[in-house]
Amino acid sequence: MWALPGLPEVEPGADLAALIAAAGPDLADGDVLLVTSKIVSKAEGRILPATSRDEAVDAETVRVVARRGPLRIVENRQGLVMAAAGVDASNTAPGTVLLLPEDPDASARALREGLYRLLGVRVGVLVTDTVGRPWRNGLTDIAIGAAGVRVLDDLRGGTDSHGNELSVTVVAGADELAAAGDLVKGKASGLPVAVVRGLPHLLGEGSARELQRTAGEDMFRLGTSEAVREAVTRRRTVRTFLPDPVDPGAVRRAVAAALTAPAPHHTTPWRFVLLESAASRTELLDAMREAWIADLRGDGRSEEAVAKRVRRGDLLRAAPYLIVPCLVTDGAHHYGDARRDTAEREMFVVSAGAGVQNLLVALAGEGLGSAWVSSTMFCREVVRKVLGLPGDWDPMGTVAVGRPAAPAPDRPPRDPAEFIEVR
C-alpha cells in the first residue's frame, strides 16, 4: 500500500482520472484505489461560496440525529450520518466550503471507467471521507463511494478456527481499506490517493450504500434528546393491529417509564393491570359490552344506534394486548371542604394522565402502537369485579397495544403559537 505522489492541486472541471493515471502509470489489474472525497468534490465543482458553514450544513441535512452545542450529527442527502453533513471548510479557499460528491458511487464508477480507458487496467475504486464514530474517540476514513469492490465480506455460514459457525460476521472490507489507506495518505501531506495491491479477491460488484444501515436495522438512529422528541412525535393512536404477540418485557419497560411521572405529595398513584391472556381480555370486554348496552338502552337509544356504538369496541377486541391503568388516591389529603377536595383529586387525575402519556410514549419507543380508550371509566364497578381489583382502584380507560398493521396517517400540522398565551 502506498500513496501516489505528484498529484497537482485539483481544480473544478479537472479530469481526475487523467491526473491519477499520470501519477500512477504502473497501476495494475486488481489494484484498489482509495481516493479522498475532497479532490472528487473539487473536480466535480462541489465548491460553494458560504459566509456561514451552518447554511451549507442546513442545505445538505435531511435529518438531525444528535446535537450538542454547535455540533450537529446529521443524515445528509447521500444517506450518510456524520458531523456537519460532511460539509468541509478545510482544504478549500477562505469563504468557500466543500460539499461531498453528489453521488459518490457514480463518482467511483466514472474514475474506474476513466482509468480503464486511459491505462487498460481493471481496478477497484473507493471514494473515502473522514468521520468520527459512536463510542470511540478519534477520526478514521470510511468508504462513501465504491466501484468494482465488494464492500462487504459476508462470512456467515462459515466456521472459525475452532469449528464454531459464524452466524453474524459480515466484514466491512471497504471501510477497512479506507482506514488503512489513510495511514499512507495522511491528513495534511497532500497525498489524496492511495493504492492497495495484493487483495484482488476484494474486487467485484458493490455499492457503498450497502454499508449504510436502514432505519429499521439501526438500533441507535437518534441522539438522546432527539429520541425523546421522536418518540413523542411517533406516539399515535393506532386502530388496527397485527395479530403478532406483544413482548411482555417491552410493556414492563414502558410501565417503568410511566412510573417516572410527577405525582402529588410524593405518592405513587399509578397501577397497571396487564391483560396478557386472551381469556382475561375476552371476559373483561364481554362484561363491559353488556354494561355498555344496558346504559345505551337506558338512555333510550335505538337498537341500531346501540349496535353502531358497540362496534366501536372492536378496536379493543382486535388488540393482542390490553393494559388497564388505574388511579389510586390513598395519599390524598382530605380537607372537608368540597372545593379543596375536588382540587386535590384533580391533582391525582392529572398525575394519572401523565403516567399514561409516559406509558404511550415508551410503547412507541419500543416500536409498539397503542390507543387509549376511555371505556373502563364508564363501568368501573364492572371492571373492578371482573379483574378482582380493590375498591379504591379507579380504572382510567384501557390501552390497546400491538404492532401497527399499517403506518399511521400524517398528523395535521399544529402551530404551537395557536396554543400559547404569553403574559
Side-chain angles (χ1 to χ4, degrees):
M1 182 171 61
W2 67 95
L4 285 182
L7 276 168
E9 180 69 24
V10 176
E11 301 291 340
D15 185 342
L16 192 54
L19 295 178
I20 292 174
D26 58 347
L27 290 174
D29 285 345
D31 287 349
V32 178
L33 269 69
L34 312 171
V35 184
T36 302
S37 63
K38 289 182 179 61
I39 65 170
V40 178
S41 295
K42 289 180 179 179
E44 295 179 356
R46 298 279 286 165
I47 305 173
L48 290 181
T51 54
S52 169
R53 185 189 182 197
D54 287 341
E55 294 176 0
V57 173
D58 289 341
E60 293 297 300
T61 294
V62 172
R63 176 176 61 91
V64 175
V65 175
R67 185 192 305 265
R68 180 171 295 172
L71 176 63
R72 281 182 288 170
I73 307 297
V74 306
E75 179 183 345
N76 64 17
R77 296 180 183 277
Q78 292 80 5
L80 297 161
V81 175
M82 51 177 47
V87 176
D88 199 342
S90 62
N91 295 302
T92 185
T96 65
V97 294
L98 276 176
L99 309 182
L100 290 178
E102 185 76 34
D103 183 344
D105 279 336
S107 301
R109 287 194 300 271
L111 276 175
R112 185 172 188 253
E113 292 163 3
L115 290 168
Y116 179 73
R117 185 179 67 253
L118 294 167
L119 299 178
V121 293
R122 297 190 181 278
V123 298
V125 176
L126 295 178
V127 177
T128 69
D129 198 57
T130 304
V131 297
R133 299 153 298 158
W135 309 295
R136 305 283 289 179
N137 284 320
L139 303 173
T140 189
D141 272 21
I142 63 169
I144 66 169
V149 178
R150 292 188 297 110
V151 299
L152 294 171
D153 193 9
D154 192 346
L155 304 180
R156 290 174 296 183
T159 57
D160 63 18
S161 58
H162 295 281
N164 300 309
E165 182 179 353
L166 301 173
S167 58
V168 295
T169 304
V170 180
V171 178
D175 281 348
E176 291 186 331
L177 286 172
D182 197 46
L183 295 173
V184 295
K185 288 188 297 180
K187 296 297 182 193
S189 56
L191 299 170
V193 179
V195 181
V196 178
R197 180 167 292 168
L199 298 175
H201 65 281
L202 291 182
L203 269 62
E205 295 302 317
S207 162
R209 286 194 173 269
E210 298 172 45
L211 294 159
Q212 297 167 207
R213 293 191 190 278
T214 65
E217 296 171 325
D218 188 355
M219 295 175 65
F220 308 98
R221 186 166 170 78
L222 301 167
T224 303
S225 59
E226 288 73 22
V228 172
R229 287 194 293 272
E230 175 70 11
V232 171
T233 303
R234 190 186 302 165
R235 202 273 333 143
R236 306 293 299 279
T237 296
V238 174
R239 302 188 182 278
T240 56
F241 300 96
L242 296 174
D244 305 357
V246 172
D247 175 16
V251 174
R252 284 158 174 77
R253 290 191 292 272
V255 169
L259 302 183
T260 66
H265 313 314
H266 305 288
T267 58
T268 54
W270 324 277
R271 304 292 187 272
F272 297 90
V273 184
L274 311 182
L275 304 186
E276 297 185 338
S277 71
S280 66
R281 295 192 295 273
T282 300
E283 182 182 9
L284 175 64
L285 295 177
D286 284 350
M288 289 170 55
R289 182 178 183 274
E290 293 305 316
W292 196 3
I293 290 173
D295 282 347
L296 292 170
R297 286 174 175 165
D299 292 339
R301 304 277 184 177
S302 68
E303 290 303 311
E304 181 182 359
V306 169
K308 182 178 179 180
R309 287 176 174 265
V310 167
R311 279 197 297 272
R312 295 178 183 174
D314 291 344
L315 165 62
L316 296 178
R317 290 187 183 274
Y321 199 107
L322 297 179
I323 304 172
V324 179
C326 296
L327 170 65
V328 177
T329 60
D330 54 8
H333 294 172
H334 300 283
Y335 300 98
D337 174 88
R339 177 181 60 83
R340 297 172 71 189
D341 285 342
T342 297
E344 181 76 6
R345 177 172 173 78
E346 287 174 346
M347 288 197 309
F348 280 81
V349 172
V350 168
S351 178
V356 171
Q357 173 70 354
N358 277 12
L359 176 77
L360 301 179
V361 170
L363 289 170
E366 294 281 352
L368 293 168
S370 65
W372 178 81
V373 181
S374 61
S375 53
T376 64
M377 300 174 69
F378 292 90
C379 52
R380 285 179 168 139
E381 288 301 329
V382 171
V383 176
R384 280 192 283 258
K385 180 179 179 181
V386 172
L387 298 181
L389 304 180
D392 61 346
W393 286 30
D394 279 347
M396 303 297 287
T398 306
V399 178
V401 183
R403 297 283 174 189
D410 290 338
R411 179 185 282 115
R414 293 170 178 167
D415 182 359
E418 297 178 4
F419 301 86
I420 295 173
E421 292 290 336
V422 178
R423 297 289 188 269

